[in-house]
């Protein structure tokens, strides 16, 4: 974690027209509050690991993103550090073996319902793991699948 910093961008829909925030090196309680607001009202939160290269330039690395509707969300983990590594992007999946039951739209795209999280406790646990370790531990990582390795729809 040498010379790494965490950057947070967040927006929620509690107040129409409200601008989002961008914070360098946030404290966990602030991250948790922004996660709760986005999960409750809809919105999004992204944590990115940054590597300062100069006083005015930061190279971005790993990221964890939540896009939310009120009461549910999608979580995407992106360990991409080099261009062309899209196959490493992972999305959170429900841990059970439920059959395909349709899709839900996020950002104008339909996603498998099994990639939608309805538990704020799950969101908080995953983001806290990422915040503390600047990456995901194995217990968190097993909840994710590559975007190229989706569960079957049958």
């Amino acid at each position: 974690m040498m010379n790494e910093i965490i950057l947070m961008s967040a927006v929620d829909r509690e107040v129409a027209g409200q601008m989002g925030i961008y914070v360098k090196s946030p404290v966990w309680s602030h991250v948790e509050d922004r996660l709760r607001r986005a999960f409750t009202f809809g919105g999004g939160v992204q944590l990115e690991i940054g590597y300062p290269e100069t006083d005015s330039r930061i190279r971005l690395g790993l990221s964890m993103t939540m896009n939310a509707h009120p009461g549910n969300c999608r979580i995407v983990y992106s360990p991409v550090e080099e261009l062309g590594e899209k196959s490493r992007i992972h999305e959170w999946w429900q841990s059970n073996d439920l059959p395909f039951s349709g899709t839900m739209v996020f950002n104008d795209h339909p996603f498998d319902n099994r990639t939608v999280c309805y538990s704020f406790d799950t969101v908080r646990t995953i983001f806290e793991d990422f915040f503390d370790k600047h990456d995901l531990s194995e217990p968190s990582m097993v909840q994710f699948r590559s975007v190229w390795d989706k569960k079957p729809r049958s």
Side-chain angles (χ1 to χ4, degrees):
M1 277 198 262
M2 189 193 291
N3 294 326
E4 294 177 353
I5 58 170
I6 291 185
L7 305 164
M8 177 179 70
S9 56
V11 64
D12 64 69
R13 297 185 190 106
E14 180 182 21
V15 178
Q18 181 180 27
M19 299 297 292
I21 63 160
Y22 189 78
V23 179
K24 179 180 172 184
S25 302
V27 296
W28 170 248
S29 61
H30 193 190
V31 173
E32 184 177 20
D33 177 61
R34 298 311 295 204
L35 288 167
R36 186 178 311 281
R37 290 174 59 90
F39 191 83
T40 301
F41 303 110
V45 175
Q46 182 174 44
L47 295 181
E48 293 180 275
I49 305 303
Y51 305 91
E53 294 181 338
T54 66
D55 288 341
S56 61
R57 182 180 167 152
I58 297 173
R59 180 176 53 88
L60 298 177
L62 311 175
S63 70
M64 180 68 61
T65 305
M66 175 186 75
N67 291 310
H69 294 309
N72 60 67
C73 68
R74 292 192 74 252
I75 307 169
V76 175
Y77 168 65
S78 180
V80 176
E81 292 190 33
E82 300 293 331
L83 295 176
E85 291 185 340
K86 286 186 176 182
S87 64
R88 294 184 60 201
I89 296 172
H90 287 69
E91 54 193 357
W92 179 89
W93 284 78
Q94 295 175 9
S95 60
N96 49 33
D97 289 325
L98 292 174
F100 177 74
S101 63
T103 62
M104 183 177 285
V105 175
F106 282 84
N107 297 332
D108 298 326
H109 296 286
F111 291 97
D112 190 312
N113 282 340
R114 297 169 294 178
T115 66
V116 179
C117 178
Y118 296 90
S119 166
F120 181 74
D121 288 339
T122 299
V123 172
R124 181 180 52 235
T125 299
I126 289 169
F127 270 80
E128 187 171 21
D129 185 35
F130 186 84
F131 182 87
D132 289 344
K133 296 174 179 60
H134 292 197
D135 203 346
L136 284 181
S137 65
E138 186 61 28
S140 293
M141 193 62 205
V142 297
Q143 299 176 60
F144 288 79
R145 294 176 69 103
S146 166
V147 295
W148 300 108
D149 183 28
K150 298 178 184 297
K151 291 183 180 181
R153 288 190 169 196
S154 54

